Structures are given as C-alpha cells and as structure tokens.
C-alpha cells in the first residue's frame, strides 16, 4: 500500500510514510472487510460512513506539513484510522465525531493499539474544539459546503487547516494557512469525494 499507492503517486514526507507503514489499517474495518483493508479505495465502516482511501489519508496528512510534536484537531473520527496516523506524528490529537457508535468503536481500536495521545469526543465538529484551541493543524475528513470559519479561528499562528470544500458529491481539498491574526492564505489542492460534513456550520442532516 505504501509503496504502490503512496510513494509511487508522489507522497514523499518520510513521517507520513512511516506512520502509514506502522498503523495496522485492517484493525479499523470490520472483520469481513479486512482482506480489502489495504486496497486502493475507501471502505464502509457502518452508519453510512467510510474509512478514506489510503492515498487520500496520506495526501491530506502530508498537506498538514507536520514535523512532529504538534497539537492537531481532526473533524470526523470515523474508524479512527486517520487519527491513529496523525497520532504517530503529532504530539497530541483531538478528534471529534458526531456519531456516538463510531466514536466508541474508534476508541476501542485506539485503546487496543495502546495509543495515549489521541482524545476522541462526540460532538458537532463544525465548531471545532474550543477548549483545546489553538491547533497547529486541523484536518476535516468530511466534505464541507464552505471553509468553516470557526475552524480557521482555532488555528495557531502559522497553523494549517486541510478541508474538502464543495457540494455534497464532489469537493476540492483546500489548505488554509494562518499568516496573521486576521490573515489567511488559501490554496486548492486536489479533487475528492467525501461524505458530507453534517452540522450547524456544515450541511443539514
Ligand atoms: N477520518 C475517518 C477515518 O479515518 O476513518 C474517516 C472519516 S469519514 C470519511 C467522515 C466522518 O465524519 C464520518 O464518521 C462522519 O460521521 C463524520 N462527520 C460528519 N460531520 C461531522 C461533524 N459535524 N462533526 C464530527 N464528525 C462529523
């Protein structure tokens, strides 16, 4: 998976490649799907949600430009796989999920792996995690209708927000960097298809 799907397609950051080599992706899907866990596609995880394609996980993690030790927020815990990858690189990961059963299941796997630097909370992540802000990196793993303003405001100076933005079916991965108190740069990186970000500042359920 790492050689063919990541390195061969241009993912170069050694921290990302090492993290994705280390995290056992098959533990984050149902037993019946474990033989497909390292395939080049997203997979269902229940509740009409998905674990993202490995390439997308690698691409978005690389886009956060982590060097190690940072404080990171993930919106959309899902299976917990992306949080585990972030947890191999960052100092602390805060991950929020709106569906309690997915958060419970993710917590179980993360505990089984012995992770100690990943916090999972059930909440509407379109508000971020105010009490833990600011973050050096924020990753949204569901498609937003617009760049969530609350998340921008929770970035530390120099912090990066990586978020898919578009309509309910297709989005573009965008990277927003906090350059100053009220100064942000925006880049469009890559086309993608995520399940919708549902919440007060996202799509309606
Ligand atoms: N990162 C996940 C993983 O590694 O398995 C995949 C995430 S899945 C593509 C998108 C997740 O975002 C779903 O679990 C969905 O319930 C969650 N989600 C959607 N809207 C949300 C919101 N407002 N707050 C928190 N989670 C949300």
């Amino acid at each position: 998976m790492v050689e063919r799907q990541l390195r061969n397609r241009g993912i170069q950051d050694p921290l990302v490649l090492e993290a994705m080599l280390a995290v056992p992706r098959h533990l984050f899907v149902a037993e019946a799907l474990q033989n497909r866990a390292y395939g080049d596609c997203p997979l269902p995880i229940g509740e009409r949600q998905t674990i993202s394609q490995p390439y997308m996980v690698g691409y978005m993690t690389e886009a956060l430009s982590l060097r190690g030790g940072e404080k990171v927020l993930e919106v959309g815990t899902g299976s917990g796989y992306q949080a585990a990858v972030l947890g191999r690189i960052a100092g602390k990961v805060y991950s929020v999920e709106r569906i309690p059963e997915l958060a419970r299941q993710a917590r179980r796997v993360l505990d089984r792996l012995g992770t100690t630097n990943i916090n999972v909370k059930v909440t509407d992540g379109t508000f971020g995690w105010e009490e833990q802000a600011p973050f050096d990196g924020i990753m949204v793993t569901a498609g937003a209708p617009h760049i969530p303003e609350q998340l921008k405001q929770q970035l530390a100076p120099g912090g990066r927000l990586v978020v898919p933005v578009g309509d309910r079916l297709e989005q573009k991965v965008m990277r927003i960097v906090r350059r100053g108190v009220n100064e942000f740069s925006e880049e469009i990186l890559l086309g993608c298809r995520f399940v919708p970000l549902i919440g007060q500042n996202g799509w309606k359920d």
Side-chain angles (χ1 to χ4, degrees):
M1 177 187 90
V2 168
E3 274 311 309
R4 288 199 195 149
Q5 298 173 40
L6 306 185
R7 214 193 292 272
N8 277 356
R9 290 189 192 142
I11 309 288
Q12 291 180 341
D13 186 334
L15 293 178
V16 176
L17 297 170
E18 279 163 25
M20 289 187 66
L21 268 176
V23 177
R25 183 172 161 93
H26 62 281
L27 297 185
F28 294 86
V29 299
E31 231 172 284
L33 292 175
Q34 288 191 343
N35 59 346
R36 293 167 58 199
Y38 298 90
D40 190 13
C41 58
L43 290 173
I45 55 170
E47 310 281 344
R48 293 185 297 140
Q49 305 302 321
T50 53
I51 178 174
S52 305
Q53 178 195 24
Y55 176 70
M56 198 48 75
V57 173
Y59 185 92
M60 289 175 72
T61 308
E62 187 168 71
L64 276 184
S65 306
L66 301 173
R67 298 279 58 91
E70 293 91 343
K71 190 173 180 183
V72 173
L73 172 70
E74 181 198 18
V75 177
T77 313
S79 68
Y81 176 69
Q82 175 72 75
V85 170
L86 290 169
R88 296 283 307 189
I89 306 173
K92 275 221 172 286
V93 177
Y94 295 84
S95 183
V96 291
E97 170 57 54
R98 65 181 279 273
I99 301 177
E101 182 47 35
L102 292 180
R104 259 196 301 276
Q105 175 60 23
R107 183 73 268 165
R108 268 198 292 271
V109 183
L110 294 168
D111 285 346
R112 183 174 163 197
L113 290 176
T115 62
T116 53
N117 63 341
I118 303 171
N119 294 278
V120 178
K121 182 167 87 161
V122 177
T123 189
D124 175 359
T126 62
F127 291 104
W129 194 327
E130 184 70 53
E131 306 78 40
Q132 297 298 341
F135 299 98
D136 304 301
I138 301 179
M139 184 192 293
V140 182
T141 60
H146 49 75
I147 300 168
E149 184 58 32
Q150 284 80 353
L151 299 185
K152 278 170 71 176
Q153 295 305 333
Q154 290 180 22
L155 285 174
R160 287 81 60 200
L161 163 63
V162 175
V163 53
V165 179
D167 61 32
R168 281 184 89 112
L169 292 179
E170 285 187 330
Q171 307 88 30
K172 298 258 192 298
V173 176
M174 294 190 67
R175 176 168 49 199
I176 294 92
V177 182
R178 188 167 211 163
R179 306 280 178 197
V181 178
N182 278 317
E183 201 187 325
F184 298 87
S185 64
E186 292 180 11
E187 272 171 280
I188 295 175
L189 301 180
L190 180 74
C192 58
R193 279 166 179 254
F194 275 86
V195 294
L197 179 73
I198 293 172
Q200 193 86 26
N201 304 306
W203 296 100
K204 299 286 160 270
D205 201 353

